[in-house]
Amino acid sequence: MKTLQVKLKDHSYPIYIGNGLLSRSELIQPFINSKQVMIVTNETVAPLYLQTLRNTVAAAGVEDSNNKFLVLPDGEQYKNIDVLNRVFDELLKFNFGRQSVLIALGGGVVGDLTGFAAACYQRGIDFIQVPTTLLAQVDSSVGGKTGVNHALGKNMIGAFHQPVAVISDTDTLNTLEDRQLIAGSAEVIKYGLINDKDFYVWLEGNIEKVMSLDKAAMVYVIEQSCLNKANVVQRDEKENNIRAILNLGHTFGHAIETITGYTQWLHGEGVAVGMLMAAEMSRKLGWFAASDVERVKKLLQKAKLPITISNAISSEKIVEVMGVDKKVQDNKIRLVLLKSIGSATITSDFDLKLLYETIEAFQE
Ligand SMILES: NC(=O)c1ccc[n+]([C@@H]2O[C@H](COP(=O)([O-])OP(=O)(O)OC[C@H]3O[C@@H](n4cnc5c(N)ncnc54)[C@H](O)[C@@H]3O)[C@@H](O)[C@H]2O)c1
Ligand SMILES: [Zn+2]
């Protein structure tokens, strides 16, 4: 098992990464000791891992009457205020107090919603992230962004609320669909591109090991990803500046996800083609080598991630939606672009024509 520590001004918390961690009661015990505990999960994850985690919570000394759970419907469309309210209903029904703890067992949807419930309930209670998708283990469970979607925008209602611990059991990835695993690897590649050239080079040589869930490789990949994310979040917890580099590819990707109604593209898939667009745009600006754009394309292809979009998604529509993305400041689209592999920068200083040309180069 690997242990990392996220060190923030007001809170510090451990990330545990390894196999078999779901049943290690000593890891969770310090955070739930004699407290009321509610595990929040969804209908896909519950039959796979809920019982194991409930047993672990019991083994950590939480009595039955304080060992509750809530199973939510599965899907991004349920990451909303109505479903959030169901968590509050349940907590109030069982008289959960300020000393209680929520445990998010699932992917990023469950993690974001549960974290936000913890941020709001009685003005903030503790929560533990037990991420079960690659995306959640390398990205959403770390850093304290929590929230739900609004009909008018993704992740628009939320709060910064850090977990008290993150427990990433790599065994849970064995049941994940390949497409979800692949989508999660886009965020992994992102860390290499924005912050960590050595890691990027390692991924170029070893991405197959990630795809085949090689045990040692998974622990390494999750560890390096969390280290990179923690490194950025520690410098800028509330995204006043540098944290925005974590959004490489996301402004493009969110637009594609939004236009296609969140049904055709997984988040990581949109991010993948978005990162390639950002690389190409950086090349057009003279910042990034053409040979490096090729390298990015090759790695995404090796990971079986998409590198083009349908021409049914118009560039006008993409730019329009990018304009309403929450990374917009002073009415200008701000983009995360690349200076080299391992180094990103944020800019709004570019010609819109370049942006159109970039997007159009990826339509087919
Ligand atoms: N808070 C952040 O910093 C942050 C960062 C990135 C993404 N996000 C959010 O995360 C969400 C996406 O997360 P995701 O990709 O994990 O999606 P998800 O939570 O929808 O999970 C994907 C699918 O896998 C299923 N699943 C989860 N664990 C499984 C397992 N072990 N075995 C089998 N199936 C399993 C889920 O039920 C779901 O159907 C989005 O809402 C996004 O906005 C948040
Ligand atoms: Zn993302």
Side-chain angles (χ1 to χ4, degrees):
M1 181 182 82
K2 291 277 180 187
T3 306
L4 313 176
Q5 197 71 27
V6 182
K7 296 192 184 98
L8 300 166
K9 220 169 39 202
D10 301 322
H11 1 238
S12 217
Y13 57 94
I15 305 174
Y16 302 111
I17 306 160
N19 52 289
L21 303 193
L22 270 189
S23 23
R24 300 256 308 256
S25 61
E26 80 281 10
L27 293 181
I28 210 165
Q29 199 270 345
F31 307 102
I32 60 178
N33 202 6
S34 59
K35 292 183 175 174
Q36 292 166 293
V37 174
M38 183 167 302
I39 302 171
V40 181
T41 186
N42 74 21
E43 61 204 5
T44 304
V45 179
L48 298 168
Y49 305 112
L50 178 59
Q51 195 53 51
T52 307
L53 189 58
R54 293 199 57 183
N55 294 345
T56 305
V57 168
V62 174
E63 46 187 274
D64 271 2
S65 59
N66 286 335
N67 190 350
K68 303 289 185 203
F69 64 92
L70 174 62
V71 180
L72 301 175
D74 183 6
E76 182 76 37
Q77 69 272 34
Y78 298 108
K79 193 175 126 180
N80 62 36
I81 296 266
D82 294 336
V83 176
L84 177 73
N85 207 27
R86 287 179 48 185
V87 182
F88 300 142
D89 290 346
E90 208 69 5
L91 291 169
L92 288 165
K93 193 168 90 191
F94 291 113
N95 292 314
F96 268 56
R98 297 210 56 197
Q99 294 305 313
S100 44
V101 185
L102 295 184
I103 304 180
L105 172 68
V109 168
V110 166
D112 279 14
L113 185 141
T114 307
F116 188 42
C120 301
Y121 188 69
Q122 300 199 8
R123 300 186 182 82
I125 61 171
D126 285 355
F127 86 111
I128 299 169
Q129 289 275 19
V130 182
T132 61
T133 63
L134 181 60
L135 181 133
Q137 295 187 351
V138 299
D139 192 353
S140 62
S141 66
V142 175
K145 278 193 183 178
T146 71
V148 295
N149 302 327
H150 185 277
L152 298 181
K154 191 170 146 68
N155 293 330
M156 282 295 160
I157 315 295
F160 284 98
H161 188 56
Q162 300 288 343
V164 292
V166 181
I167 301 174
S168 281
D169 185 337
T170 51
D171 285 345
T172 60
L173 301 177
N174 295 332
T175 52
L176 198 60
E177 281 178 13
D178 281 349
R179 190 177 167 203
Q180 294 288 350
L181 184 74
I182 289 168
S185 74
E187 304 281 5
V188 172
I189 293 169
K190 177 188 81 181
Y191 294 116
L193 278 175
I194 60 173
N195 205 38
D196 191 340
K197 183 167 186 192
D198 291 345
F199 184 41
Y200 188 87
V201 171
W202 184 91
L203 288 168
E204 287 181 316
N206 294 279
I207 195 78
E208 289 88 356
K209 290 187 188 157
V210 179
M211 298 302 122
S212 63
L213 289 175
D214 174 274
K215 276 195 160 83
M218 290 325 285
V219 174
Y220 178 73
V221 156
I222 297 163
E223 182 193 10
Q224 293 306 311
S225 299
C226 291
L227 278 172
N228 273 296
K229 179 148 186 188
N231 177 287
V232 175
V233 171
Q234 280 162 191
R235 284 189 277 162
D236 174 25
E237 184 180 352
K238 303 268 166 84
E239 195 166 314
N240 294 314
N241 43 62
I242 188 76
R243 183 169 178 162
I245 65 168
L246 294 170
N247 298 321
L248 175 70
H250 282 61
T251 309
F252 294 101
H254 279 163
I256 295 165
E257 279 183 89
T258 306
I259 294 164
T260 52
Y262 300 103
T263 51
Q264 294 167 38
W265 287 72
L266 295 181
H267 175 74
E269 294 170 344
V271 168
V273 73
M275 290 193 296
L276 193 56
M277 287 176 176
E280 172 61 10
M281 176 99 179
S282 310
R283 185 196 66 76
K284 284 196 198 307
L285 286 164
W287 298 352
F288 195 67
S291 57
D292 285 341
V293 179
E294 274 310 299
R295 270 176 81 179
V296 177
K297 184 172 153 191
K298 268 214 183 101
L299 181 54
L300 296 174
Q301 277 178 311
K302 248 186 176 177
K304 302 193 167 61
L305 283 160
I307 52 162
T308 57
I309 58 170
S310 151
N311 60 17
I313 311 175
S314 79
S315 55
E316 285 78 16
K317 190 75 197 158
I318 292 181
V319 174
E320 184 194 316
V321 178
M322 284 172 90
V324 299
D325 184 282
K326 64 179 183 292
K327 280 111 216 163
V328 172
Q329 263 183 7
D330 309 331
N331 279 327
K332 278 192 157 177
I333 300 176
R334 273 158 44 96
L335 284 179
V336 184
L337 296 178
L338 293 166
K339 293 272 187 184
S340 62
I341 287 180
S343 170
T345 183
I346 302 160
T347 185
S348 49
D349 190 16
F350 53 81
D351 196 336
L352 263 188
K353 190 166 156 266
L354 273 192
L355 183 58
Y356 279 108
E357 283 172 13
T358 301
I359 296 166
E360 281 153 17
F362 293 92
Q363 290 174 321
E364 59 163 38

